[in-house]
């Protein structure tokens, strides 16, 4: 490996962040020098949490992990990567169902920004079923989400569910 700093972006909606995402962040720090968690500001998705709320939540949770920064972005990921001077994108692969979509995005990004490489980390088995959608779904029925997300953010999720009920 050369001496150049390996800066990687881990993009996603993180609505909300789960143990699966945190596992990928933690493992990425073993591979790269700097990880930028890129929180996508996509109003079209009607997120449960605003982008600022997601950035704040994740920032607190990763505060103890050296080399991790949390930023929001909107628009194209390739533009954000250029702006950050990053040439690596990290994505998590849970199952074959993720693969088709992910490979298409990775290849498109590579065409648009040749220096950009996408690295896929396979999910830890214990989180392979886990998604933000599942967390939102269970929380909407006031189910137990303690196995899916850090304790600190559970009250925030519950509050949102009260408001949207
Ligand atoms: P997006 O809307 O971009 O898919 P997500 O927040 O759902 O955003 O996911 C961000 C990234 O984290 C994606 O690469 C996704 O595959 C990965 N990911 C989501 N859930 C898990 C999990 N349980 N384990 C590992 N990776 C995951």
């Amino acid at each position: 490996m050369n001496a150049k700093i390996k800066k990687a972006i881990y993009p996603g909606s993180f609505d909300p962040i789960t143990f699966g995402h945190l596992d990928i962040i933690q493992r990425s720090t073993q591979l790269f020098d700097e990880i930028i968690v890129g929180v996508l500001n996509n109003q079209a998705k009607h997120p449960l949490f605003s982008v600022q709320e997601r950035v704040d939540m994740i920032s607190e949770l990763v505060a103890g992990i050296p080399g991790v920064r949390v930023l929001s972005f909107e628009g194209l990921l390739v533009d954000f990567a250029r702006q950050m001077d990053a040439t690596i994108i990290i994505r998590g692969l849970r199952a074959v169902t993720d693969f088709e979509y992910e490979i298409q995005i990775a290849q498109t990004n590579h065409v648009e920004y040749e220096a950009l490489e996408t690295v896929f980390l396979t999910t830890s088995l214990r989180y392979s079923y886990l998604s933000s959608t599942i967390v939102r779904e269970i929380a909407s029925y006031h189910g137990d989400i303690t196995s899916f997300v850090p304790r600190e953010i559970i009250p925030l999720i519950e509050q949102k569910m009260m408001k949207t009920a």
Side-chain angles (χ1 to χ4, degrees):
M1 218 200 299
N2 62 27
K4 202 167 160 257
I5 286 198
K6 295 273 179 210
K7 199 191 282 185
I9 296 178
Y10 178 38
S13 309
F14 308 106
D15 187 37
I17 187 156
T18 69
F19 284 135
H21 296 130
L22 287 165
D23 179 56
I24 297 279
I25 294 171
Q26 190 82 54
R27 286 160 56 206
S28 300
T29 62
Q30 306 297 311
L31 301 171
F32 306 108
D33 302 307
E34 190 183 336
I35 309 294
I36 298 165
V37 180
V39 183
L40 179 63
N41 186 9
N42 183 357
Q43 288 306 324
K45 270 197 168 182
H46 299 295
L48 183 63
F49 289 98
S50 73
V51 72
Q52 194 55 51
E53 286 171 327
R54 283 175 276 152
V55 167
D56 291 346
M57 245 188 284
I58 303 169
S59 300
E60 274 194 33
L61 293 169
V62 302
I65 313 175
V68 181
R69 271 201 290 164
V70 186
L71 297 171
S72 65
F73 76 100
E74 48 192 335
L76 293 177
L77 178 59
V78 287
D79 292 337
F80 181 55
R82 277 203 187 94
Q83 207 184 315
M84 290 292 113
D85 195 25
T87 51
I88 300 158
I89 299 296
I90 299 161
R91 294 288 286 175
L93 277 186
R94 278 162 295 189
V96 194
T97 41
D98 279 341
F99 183 77
E100 217 169 313
Y101 172 74
E102 292 293 342
I103 196 166
Q104 194 180 3
I105 299 287
Q107 284 168 340
T108 309
N109 287 342
H110 191 69
V111 170
E112 294 198 0
Y113 178 8
E114 216 191 337
L116 197 63
E117 295 290 353
T118 301
V119 173
F120 294 105
L121 294 187
T122 49
T123 310
S124 295
L125 261 184
R126 63 187 191 282
Y127 301 129
S128 60
Y129 62 92
L130 191 49
S131 69
S132 300
T133 309
I134 289 204
V135 172
R136 290 196 303 272
E137 178 105 359
I138 295 179
S140 74
Y141 293 106
H142 310 291
D144 181 5
I145 52 172
T146 48
S147 304
F148 312 141
V149 300
R151 214 169 346 106
E152 298 91 311
I153 69 168
I154 292 180
L156 304 175
I157 298 173
E158 285 173 348
Q159 258 173 34
K160 285 281 177 191
M161 290 304 167
M162 306 272 249
K163 278 187 199 148
T164 53

